[in-house]
Amino acid sequence: MSRSDPAVIRIKPYHYIHILDNNKNVTRVEFGPQTFTRQDHEQLVSGPDAMIMIPPRHYCIIQNPVARDEEGHVVRDNLGQIKIKHGDEEIRFEQEPFPLYPGEKLYGKVSPLQVVAPNTALRLRCIRDFKDGKVSRVAGDEWLFEGPGTYIPRVELQVVEIVKAIIIKPNQALRLRARKEFTDKSGVKRRAGEEWLVREVGAFLPSVEEEVVQTISAYVLTDKKAIHLQATKTFTDVFGKERKAGEEWLVTIDDAETHIPDVYENVIGEVKITTLTSRQYAVILDPVGDDGKPQMGRRVLKKGEATFFLRPGERLESGIQSVHVLDSDEALLLRARESFKDGDKSRSPGDRWMIYGPSDYVPPVEVEILEKRKAIALDENEGIYVRDLKTGRVRAVTGQTYMLSPYEELWEKDLPQVVEDLISKERQSGPEGRGPVTSPQPTKGRTKTRVVTYRTPHNAAVQIYDYKSKKARVIFGPELVMLGPDEHFTVLSLSGDKPKRPHVIKALHLFLGPDFMTDIVIVETADHARLSLKLSYNWSFEVNKETDSEKIFSVPDFVGDSCKAIASRVRGAVAAVSFDHFHKHSAEIIRRAVFGVDEGDKIRNRFAFSANNLVITNVDIQSVEPVDQRTRDALQKSVQLAIEITTKSQEASAKHEAERREQEARGRLERQKITDEAEAEKARKDLLELQAQSATVEASGQATAEARARAAAAAIEGEAAVKQAQLQAEANKIKAQSDLEQTKAKQDAEINHQKALNELEVNKARDLSSIEAKKFKDVVDAIGADTIKSIAQAGPEMQAKLLQGLGLKGFLITDGNSPINLFNTAGGLIGGVNQTQN
């Protein structure tokens, strides 16, 4: 027993308390309204608490509910303790307020019943076996409670989720999958995992056995678009046709305006319509026959104007092609794919023929177009290489307009890379370019089927070798070289650089000269002095163009051979003389060694090579330098010493001459100085005389000018003062006249204004007096003369009667604040007395 528990407990209506009887250890419920007196062995467990009230359309969940008998009374045990269902729940709906018995608990709060809207449903799951009307439910069963309606909860059921209906719009379908085997709303048996479409427009509420996979939109088909479908398994489509697994087909606008792919239809893609104009055609490969099966290997020609869809498996050969329009100089090379009849001619497979313009041509499926050819216009210096396909013979055609025959083709002539580079360089720099070709450059612009042409420069020769006839021909410039199919250029590989190195210069033509070449030769004198000689040779070819033209090309490298021969002669000649002798007579020694001497011991003027008719006509010694460093230093010192001696001698002579010239210039300067001083003194004298005269004139002129200026200034000031006084008088006169006129105008304006005001006041007073007179007359006329008389007499008569009643002869009433004029009062009173006496 708690000491804080009250002994008397007042329980309000619809309230209750829990009382524990400590003697029996039983808890009971006491309801209000009452005043409960607690005994000593009783204890207040809880309360007072308000009873639970469930309004209409509400419910609550009671945990551990009390057990009740068939009549609804609470069941107690033999000790009087209320029995409860431990771990159970009970849902109670609208009823009278009720208390919670000991052990009962309210789960949550009183909640409104759930209203299921239209196009929605509650997915229910059975958590314990029970009988729902005539239907027996087993734990784990699921079903839908579809709206509209009010869901009455049960303890045996659990709300899994709220299912909303899916709106299927026009041109849409719902793809469903069966969760388990069942029979759907349309009466069709479905197996677990099976998929199907619902196409009916409107709200669709899937059952618990149905799973929504996706919403499928329809493909809108037009006259320019179709869809390509493929069957994933054998089935019958919406058009009633049986489709085999893997079969492909098209759905066009001829079948339906819109199409929703079935679950067993895989959309490969959209197919655009193929349109052919009147100047187009197309070849369809592997066309689909009337039975819907592809005809493999066949080809069908479609000519414009036409529109069609490519069916599955069909494809266009080279796409949409334009009709071949041939000009008068064009032709088509054709080849037969198979045997067919071309007009009156029978064509066999492999036959080649040509269609010439002007015309247009659409090839049938039995014909293959190899190429389009055009007549090649050739000038006299142009040509092409043509190869006969039957014989293999290659020929050059030049100087005409040529159209290849069906069994002819253009032949490409390949040249060595060095020749290609030289021809390309010749086109870039001109035929006179003779620079060395050190690295190959890409050839640009040369068409290999064109006849190779080369412009031979002036005073040059080109050798061409025919490998078929095994003959060579030499062409002298200026001339245009045209190579035959089996001809090639002879490439010259000449030595170059200083000293000469082999294979430096590559060339197709050989200059005949005269020209020069330079070489550096190392020689050694008899006293073992090594010298480096830089020699330049003038050369030319002496050739007879009719008899020995090929002789100039007999030596592959005439530069290297001639330089070696000359160098050997020079070395031999220099080796026999000393350095000092060679230094003094180098030109004679070298020329004698190169050209030799005749019978008269005279130096010849030429050195000829009989192998190729090369002639050396002159030798120029450009420089002689010692190779040995010590010799070079000694020679340099001697040269420097000689130069120094010559320089000093020249400096001394120049110095002496400069001193002589300086003395002469100094004397002339002194004489000129004395002459200039005399002239200056004479000029100074003249200047002083002129200055004196100028001062005299200046003094007299200044006095005269000042007097005249003062007189003129006084006259000007007087005239200005007179003029100013006249102007001032005129200004005052004008100002006074203007002030007078202004005052006069102002007074006239005021007089006129006052006249107008006076007239207005007079008119106003006249009008007011007229109005008052008329008003007074109207009032008098309205009241009447008798009435006015009565009014006038009513006041004095009443006063007289009042005074008579009061016994007063007269009276005066004042408030003491307003002053009263009593000067006339006595007169009045006296007058009144007089009147009374009278």
Side-chain angles (χ1 to χ4, degrees):
M1 174 179 165
S2 176
R3 294 182 180 180
S4 62
D5 293 340
V8 177
I9 302 172
R10 292 175 176 82
I11 306 174
K12 298 178 182 180
Y14 300 110
H15 284 66
Y16 66 95
I17 60 174
H18 288 178
I19 298 298
L20 174 62
D21 189 343
N22 290 323
N23 294 335
K24 297 181 180 179
N25 203 18
V26 174
T27 303
R28 70 180 186 276
V29 180
E30 294 292 338
F31 304 98
Q34 65 168 318
T35 300
F36 177 76
T37 302
R38 180 176 58 81
Q39 303 296 324
D40 292 339
H41 63 278
E42 293 177 343
Q43 179 183 352
L44 177 64
V45 178
S46 65
D49 294 328
M51 294 185 180
I52 297 175
M53 298 182 184
I54 303 178
R57 300 187 59 81
H58 284 67
Y59 73 98
C60 68
I61 300 175
I62 303 298
Q63 293 181 339
N64 304 322
V66 297
R68 297 180 182 271
D69 55 13
E70 295 178 356
E71 297 180 357
H73 299 112
V74 177
V75 179
R76 301 176 183 271
D77 57 9
N78 52 2
L79 299 177
Q81 180 70 33
I82 298 173
K83 291 185 178 181
I84 60 175
K85 302 176 182 177
H86 293 281
D88 200 356
E89 292 180 348
E90 180 181 346
I91 297 177
R92 298 178 185 178
F93 301 96
E94 176 187 359
Q95 56 181 293
E96 292 293 329
F98 63 90
L100 289 179
Y101 288 94
E104 289 184 335
K105 292 182 181 180
L106 176 64
Y107 179 75
K109 60 182 180 179
V110 177
S111 304
L113 294 175
Q114 187 171 2
V115 178
V116 183
N119 295 330
T120 58
L122 296 179
R123 185 176 175 182
L124 304 179
R125 179 182 296 160
C126 181
I127 57 177
R128 65 176 75 172
D129 297 348
F130 76 101
K131 194 165 185 180
D132 184 10
K134 297 181 180 180
V135 181
S136 297
R137 303 292 186 181
V138 183
D141 286 350
E142 291 184 356
W143 65 95
L144 294 181
F145 178 81
E146 299 182 4
T150 302
Y151 172 66
I152 307 301
R154 297 177 61 112
V155 295
E156 297 88 355
L157 300 180
Q158 177 185 3
V159 178
V160 179
E161 63 177 348
I162 299 175
V163 180
K164 294 184 180 180
I166 300 174
I167 306 301
I168 302 176
K169 301 178 183 178
N171 295 330
Q172 283 187 344
L174 204 60
R175 186 171 182 174
L176 304 178
R177 181 187 296 126
R179 299 177 185 269
K180 61 180 181 178
E181 186 173 353
F182 76 106
T183 301
D184 62 7
K185 298 176 182 178
S186 59
V188 181
K189 289 186 177 181
R190 304 293 183 183
R191 295 183 179 179
E194 182 181 354
E195 294 184 358
W196 67 97
L197 295 181
V198 176
R199 303 173 186 266
E200 290 78 10
V201 177
F204 178 78
L205 197 62
S207 64
V208 295
E209 295 87 1
E210 296 170 339
E211 177 186 358
V212 178
V213 179
Q214 63 177 348
T215 301
I216 301 175
S217 298
Y219 287 85
V220 179
L221 305 176
T222 64
D223 53 352
K224 296 181 180 180
K225 183 174 69 174
I227 56 174
H228 181 190
L229 302 178
Q230 183 184 29
T232 57
K233 63 176 292 186
T234 302
F235 76 105
T236 301
D237 62 7
V238 293
F239 304 111
K241 295 182 181 180
E242 184 180 1
R243 304 294 183 180
K244 300 294 184 181
E247 182 180 351
E248 297 181 6
W249 69 97
L250 287 184
V251 178
T252 64
I253 195 171
D254 297 335
D255 300 323
E257 294 181 354
T258 59
H259 181 72
I260 300 175
D262 201 275
V263 292
Y264 303 117
E265 293 176 351
N266 183 23
V267 178
I268 303 299
E270 294 183 354
V271 179
K272 302 294 183 181
I273 195 168
T274 303
T275 303
L276 302 178
T277 65
S278 59
R279 307 301 297 168
Q280 292 178 333
Y281 72 95
V283 177
I284 301 176
L285 302 179
D286 304 331
V288 176
D290 297 335
D291 56 354
K293 296 182 179 179
Q295 301 174 1
M296 306 302 292
R298 286 198 59 191
R299 304 166 80 248
V300 174
L301 176 65
K302 289 275 188 181
K303 296 182 180 180
E305 300 174 354
T307 57
F308 59 91
F309 288 103
L310 284 178
R311 299 185 180 181
E314 294 180 344
R315 53 193 174 90
L316 294 181
E317 183 183 37
S318 302
I320 298 175
Q321 304 179 54
S322 299
V323 174
H324 297 275
V325 179
L326 302 178
D327 200 354
S328 58
D329 59 344
E330 293 179 337
L332 288 177
L333 178 60
L334 309 178
R335 182 171 61 187
R337 299 176 184 269
E338 55 187 80
S339 299
F340 74 102
K341 190 125 180 121
D342 183 12
D344 298 336
K345 296 181 180 179
S346 297
R347 303 290 186 183
S348 300
D351 283 353
R352 297 162 66 106
W353 71 99
M354 296 181 70
I355 297 293
Y356 297 92
S359 65
D360 55 2
Y361 181 71
V362 177
V365 295
E366 299 86 3
V367 176
E368 175 187 6
I369 298 178
L370 297 181
E371 63 179 353
K372 184 177 183 179
R373 291 182 174 179
K374 187 172 184 177
I376 304 172
L378 302 174
D379 196 7
E380 293 181 357
N381 296 329
E382 294 179 335
I384 56 174
Y385 297 111
V386 179
R387 180 172 180 267
D388 193 325
L389 296 177
K390 291 184 177 180
T391 62
R393 180 176 172 270
V394 180
R395 61 190 177 91
V397 178
T398 59
Q400 59 177 316
T401 300
Y402 188 75
M403 172 70 78
L404 296 175
S405 66
Y407 288 94
E408 287 182 345
E409 67 177 1
L410 293 177
W411 181 74
E412 294 184 355
K413 181 176 180 63
D414 293 324
L415 297 176
Q417 186 61 41
V418 63
V419 176
E420 295 279 6
D421 297 338
L422 291 172
I423 292 176
S424 174
K425 182 185 176 188
E426 184 265 342
R427 289 174 179 170
Q428 296 174 2
S429 62
E432 299 298 332
R434 291 183 286 175
V437 178
T438 56
S439 60
Q441 298 178 355
T443 303
K444 295 181 180 179
R446 190 183 86 84
T447 304
K448 293 186 177 182
T449 58
R450 291 275 179 164
V451 171
V452 179
T453 59
Y454 185 78
R455 295 190 300 273
T456 305
H458 175 71
N459 197 28
V462 175
Q463 186 181 44
I464 298 173
Y465 187 79
D466 190 341
Y467 284 91
K468 186 175 182 180
S469 62
K470 297 183 180 180
K471 292 181 180 180
R473 61 189 176 100
V474 178
I475 298 175
F476 294 92
E479 184 66 39
L480 181 68
V481 179
M482 301 181 69
L483 292 185
D486 301 309
E487 291 181 337
H488 284 274
F489 290 104
T490 299
V491 181
L492 299 177
S493 180
L494 306 178
S495 298
D497 212 345
K498 303 169 189 178
K500 289 291 182 282
R501 294 185 295 108
H503 309 298
V504 173
I505 300 175
K506 303 289 184 180
L508 296 180
H509 58 266
L510 177 64
F511 281 99
L512 301 180
D515 203 346
F516 69 92
M517 54 187 174
T518 305
D519 191 14
I520 296 177
V521 181
I522 305 299
V523 297
E524 186 175 356
T525 62
D527 49 0
H528 304 291
R530 292 175 58 83
L531 303 175
S532 174
L533 306 181
K534 187 175 183 181
L535 306 178
S536 180
Y537 316 120
N538 289 6
W539 60 268
S540 64
F541 284 98
E542 294 181 351
V543 57
N544 188 346
K545 297 181 181 180
E546 297 180 357
T547 58
D548 55 353
S549 60
E550 298 179 359
K551 194 174 182 180
I552 58 177
F553 289 95
S554 59
V555 178
D557 185 7
F558 76 93
V559 175
D561 291 349
S562 59
C563 288
K564 288 178 182 178
I566 295 173
S568 64
R569 290 192 174 197
V570 172
R571 290 192 193 98
V574 174
V577 297
S578 64
F579 172 74
D580 187 41
H581 180 73
F582 177 76
H583 186 66
K584 295 179 180 179
H585 309 282
S586 58
E588 181 182 357
I589 293 172
I590 292 176
R591 290 179 60 84
R592 183 181 293 270
V594 174
F595 297 118
V597 295
D598 56 7
E599 293 80 0
D601 199 24
K602 291 183 178 181
I603 300 175
R604 294 189 178 93
N605 58 0
R606 54 181 290 165
F607 175 37
F609 292 88
S610 59
N612 58 351
N613 291 340
L614 177 66
V615 178
I616 306 297
T617 59
N618 190 20
V619 178
D620 181 23
I621 304 172
Q622 295 183 351
S623 67
V624 177
E625 295 181 359
V627 177
D628 187 15
Q629 186 65 33
R630 290 179 299 175
T631 306
R632 185 181 301 173
D633 294 341
L635 181 62
Q636 187 174 3
K637 286 181 181 180
S638 63
V639 172
Q640 289 178 353
L641 183 60
I643 293 173
E644 185 177 355
I645 293 172
T646 304
T647 303
K648 288 182 178 180
S649 175
Q650 292 178 353
E651 285 180 356
S653 301
K655 185 177 181 181
H656 179 71
E657 183 66 20
E659 290 178 353
R660 185 183 65 80
R661 292 181 179 180
E662 184 180 359
Q663 290 296 332
E664 290 179 356
R666 194 174 295 168
R668 287 195 299 271
L669 180 61
E670 291 294 335
R671 287 196 301 271
Q672 185 67 34
K673 184 176 180 182
I674 293 170
T675 304
D676 292 342
E677 286 179 355
E679 292 292 334
E681 289 297 330
K682 185 179 180 181
R684 187 179 295 110
K685 177 185 176 183
D686 296 338
L687 176 62
L688 291 175
E689 292 177 355
L690 293 174
Q691 285 179 353
Q693 295 175 3
S694 175
T696 303
V697 173
E698 182 179 358
S700 60
Q702 183 175 1
T704 303
E706 287 179 356
R708 290 178 180 176
R710 283 194 295 270
I716 291 170
E717 288 178 359
E719 293 176 357
V722 172
K723 187 69 174 177
Q724 185 175 5
Q726 292 176 355
L727 294 175
Q728 184 68 32
E730 291 179 359
N732 293 334
K733 181 180 179 182
I734 293 170
K735 183 177 181 182
Q737 187 176 358
S738 64
D739 290 341
L740 179 60
E741 291 177 355
Q742 185 177 3
T743 304
K744 183 179 179 181
K746 184 177 181 181
Q747 290 175 354
D748 293 342
E750 290 179 354
I751 291 169
N752 294 331
H753 179 66
Q754 190 63 38
K755 285 181 179 180
L757 290 177
N758 293 336
E759 290 178 359
L760 290 175
E761 290 292 335
V762 169
N763 293 333
K764 180 180 179 182
R766 185 184 297 114
D767 293 340
L768 287 175
S769 62
S770 300
I771 292 170
E772 289 294 332
K774 187 177 182 301
K775 178 181 177 183
F776 182 75
K777 183 177 181 300
D778 293 340
V779 171
V780 170
D781 292 341
I783 297 174
D786 297 334
T787 305
I788 295 173
K789 181 180 179 183
S790 299
I791 293 172
Q793 293 177 357
E797 291 177 356
M798 184 177 292
Q799 292 178 0
K801 291 178 181 180
L802 182 61
L803 292 175
Q804 290 175 4
L806 295 175
L808 298 175
K809 296 298 184 177
F811 65 94
L812 177 65
I813 300 175
T814 179
D815 56 359
N817 293 325
S818 299
I820 301 173
N821 188 3
L822 300 178
F823 289 102
N824 297 326
T825 305
L829 293 175
I830 295 172
V833 172
N834 291 332
Q835 290 177 2
T836 306
Q837 291 177 359
N838 291 333

